[in-house]
Amino acid sequence: MTPTRTPLIPREALFGSAERSNAVVSPDGHLLAYLAPWEGKMSVWVCTLGKDDARMIAHDPARPIPWLAWQGDSRHVLYLQDRAGNENYHLFHAGLDGSPARELTLGEHVRCSPLVVDHWYPDEALVSLNERNPALFDVIRIDLRSGVATLDTENPGDVINWLADNHHVVRAALAQSEDGAAIIRVRDDATSPWRELDRISAQDEIFPSLVSFSPNNRALYVITAKDGNAARLVCYDLASGGYDVVLDGTPYDVSGAYIDPATNGVAAASILRDRLEWKALDDRFEATFSRLRAMMHGDIAIPSSSADGNVLVVRVTSDTGPNRYYVFDRQTGEAALLFADRPVLLEYTLAPMTPIQFQTRDGLMIHGYLTLPVAVEPKRLPTVLFVHGGPWHRDRWGYDGMVQWLANRGYAVLQVNFRGSTGYGKAFLNAGNRQWAGAMRTDLLDARDWTIGQGIADPSRFAIFGGSYGGYAVLTALTFTPEAFTCGVDIVGPSNLNTLLSSIPPYWKPLVKVFRDRMGEDPEFLTSQSPLFKADRIRVPLLVAQGANDPRCKQQESDQIVHVLRANSIPVTYIVFPDEGHGFANPRNSKRFTALAEAFLAQQIGGRVEPRHPEEDYEPFLVEGA
């Protein structure tokens, strides 16, 4: 019986390359750079605002380009690229004249993260780079004219993040002590010694985030949960060390800030509740955000703006349509649509995402989202519990290709911000400590029971599906409670927490204390939390997907549990992509995987299936035998 008569949305529309995305306006306000496909890979394009003169200026034939930014001169674009999913991102420099892109960060195993690229100092960039020590990121100053890179600030061994002031002087650092405390260090100038501005105990903190210096460089904005339950935006006086609370969204965390490039002032900050909310902190931006709220139907973000702060690129996210990018003129208050990233989706009816909440067995209030297939009575539907990764992350409202794919195939889709998720304050986050296979797992079971109790889900057709920690959640659900779900889909999920911790990438080493505090560190305890050692309890079909170059959850994590399952004659389908890492960056692989997963879910719980296309052939990547 067909669950819905709404047309099937092709996998190509959902998981093929976006038509355009990641729009950023040039500092002079005249040009737009964005990502769009060329020969099947997302590449860097540039056009003049208001003109049809787009041209491609950078392309990698092996892999999609994931990130770009303008150089401050408005004549060059910077972009990042890794190799086959290894997450060793290098920085490249491309001119508008069509000359070949230049690599700025050499070395096979280095990982670069841009810190400062702006119009104030148009010929230089500050980046963090782990060339000297794979586990530590120093600050490197790159002359963008010559390409010469010089060491600017050396990591003493515990710094996780850096922040430069408005004169491009590195003057703030976020470090972690051996006992897990967060340390905020500052200095007066490039030659002054570092001093401790604040130290926040591990038990009292959602790890802070350095935001910006004040326009006069005498104060530092930080998002921190110090002295409160939720993360707040605070402003430290660098001379006295005291701070004032600028924005408090309790019980929700402050999630970000928008910096006015014209003044370097904090113009607004955001709180992610069930939906994203912005609060103007500068009176000059009150009208801007009011106008945007009135004009835009969805949640807004401002990924870029011109140097004078007058031309904004606004991204609007909706649950029932593709992401849309607009250019907004603050002086006139007018907006013009630049593009929708997947305009083909405008031809289809997408499923609304509804915020939900329920109480767990121990009385904790949990929030999440429920997406129901369109034009289907919400009674005893085949259901997919779609578990987010991290786990120090959260699901949020808006367009999600995986969710829309599942709903379109006839499934109710349940997303749960289980304890240990971010966004709901430190008590909620810390409630997940040492609970990876404990209360975090039972929160998911309680979500399952809530959906069944509402009459929405058919308990005999209930799948669990997730990636990274979500993949681990799939494995723990099927091993700890073998009868709770009909089947499972695990993408790059760890199966043994001991081997996961022992193989943490070098660049995560400063955060090992966080992992051990939140996961546990005793080998016997970690063994008890690891589905690998209970794999013989699995009774239902399982699909496992893995990237061969994953630096976080290495292929060993999937290999070892698949080996046990096959040794015990438990049905498991295993697919490994040789050119992927922690997830799927190549659209062709996304389509191959979803074609396989779609057929798997339909066989197990009865949804709809789009016939497989020749370019979605996944057989070469299936791993057979034990």
Side-chain angles (χ1 to χ4, degrees), residues 61 127 206 244 321-322 378 466 507 519 569:
V127 304
I206 296 168
D244 295 318
Y507 50 84
M519 290 174 58
S569 301

Side-chain angles (χ1 to χ4, degrees), residues 291-368:
R291 179 71 172 154
L292 289 174
R293 280 191 291 269
M295 296 175 68
M296 307 300 181
H297 302 290
D299 288 357
I300 61 174
I302 303 176
S304 77
S305 58
S306 59
D308 62 11
N310 288 327
V311 180
L312 310 181
V313 169
V314 181
R315 184 181 68 244
V316 181
T317 298
S318 168
D319 58 340
T320 55
N323 295 321
R324 293 174 170 87
Y325 289 82
Y326 294 82
V327 61
F328 179 78
D329 188 319
R330 287 187 58 224
Q331 293 181 318
T332 65
E334 297 301 317
L337 177 67
L338 294 170
F339 55 80
D341 61 356
R342 296 180 182 273
V344 66
L345 292 178
L346 297 172
E347 302 172 12
Y348 298 92
T349 301
L350 302 189
M353 177 184 283
T354 302
I356 62 165
Q357 61 182 38
F358 62 90
Q359 277 195 325
T360 63
R361 62 192 65 187
D362 61 355
L364 187 64
M365 185 62 70
I366 298 287
H367 295 258

Side-chain angles (χ1 to χ4, degrees), residues 154-177:
E154 186 172 308
N155 195 323
D158 60 356
V159 172
I160 296 168
N161 203 0
W162 304 95
L163 185 69
D165 70 8
N166 300 312
H167 298 311
H168 279 210
V169 178
V170 178
R171 289 185 49 218
L174 181 62
Q176 187 175 46
S177 67

Side-chain angles (χ1 to χ4, degrees), residues 24 26-27 31-35 42-47 55-60 65 67-81 90-105 117 122-123 125 142-147:
V24 289
S26 60
L31 302 172
L32 190 77
Y34 56 91
L35 298 178
M42 294 300 277
S43 305
V44 179
W45 294 70
V46 172
C47 70
R55 60 220 187 258
M56 191 268 292
I57 66 166
H59 169 71
D60 184 340
I65 293 172
W67 178 91
L68 78 161
W70 280 98
Q71 183 178 333
D73 64 359
S74 297
R75 296 193 302 273
H76 298 84
V77 175
L78 301 170
Y79 67 92
L80 291 175
Q81 184 60 294
H90 289 213
L91 186 66
F92 293 81
H93 184 246
L96 304 190
D97 59 2
S99 57
R102 203 172 32 146
E103 185 173 357
L104 298 174
T105 48
V117 182
D123 295 322
I142 301 176
D143 185 317
L144 297 174
R145 295 164 298 185
S146 66

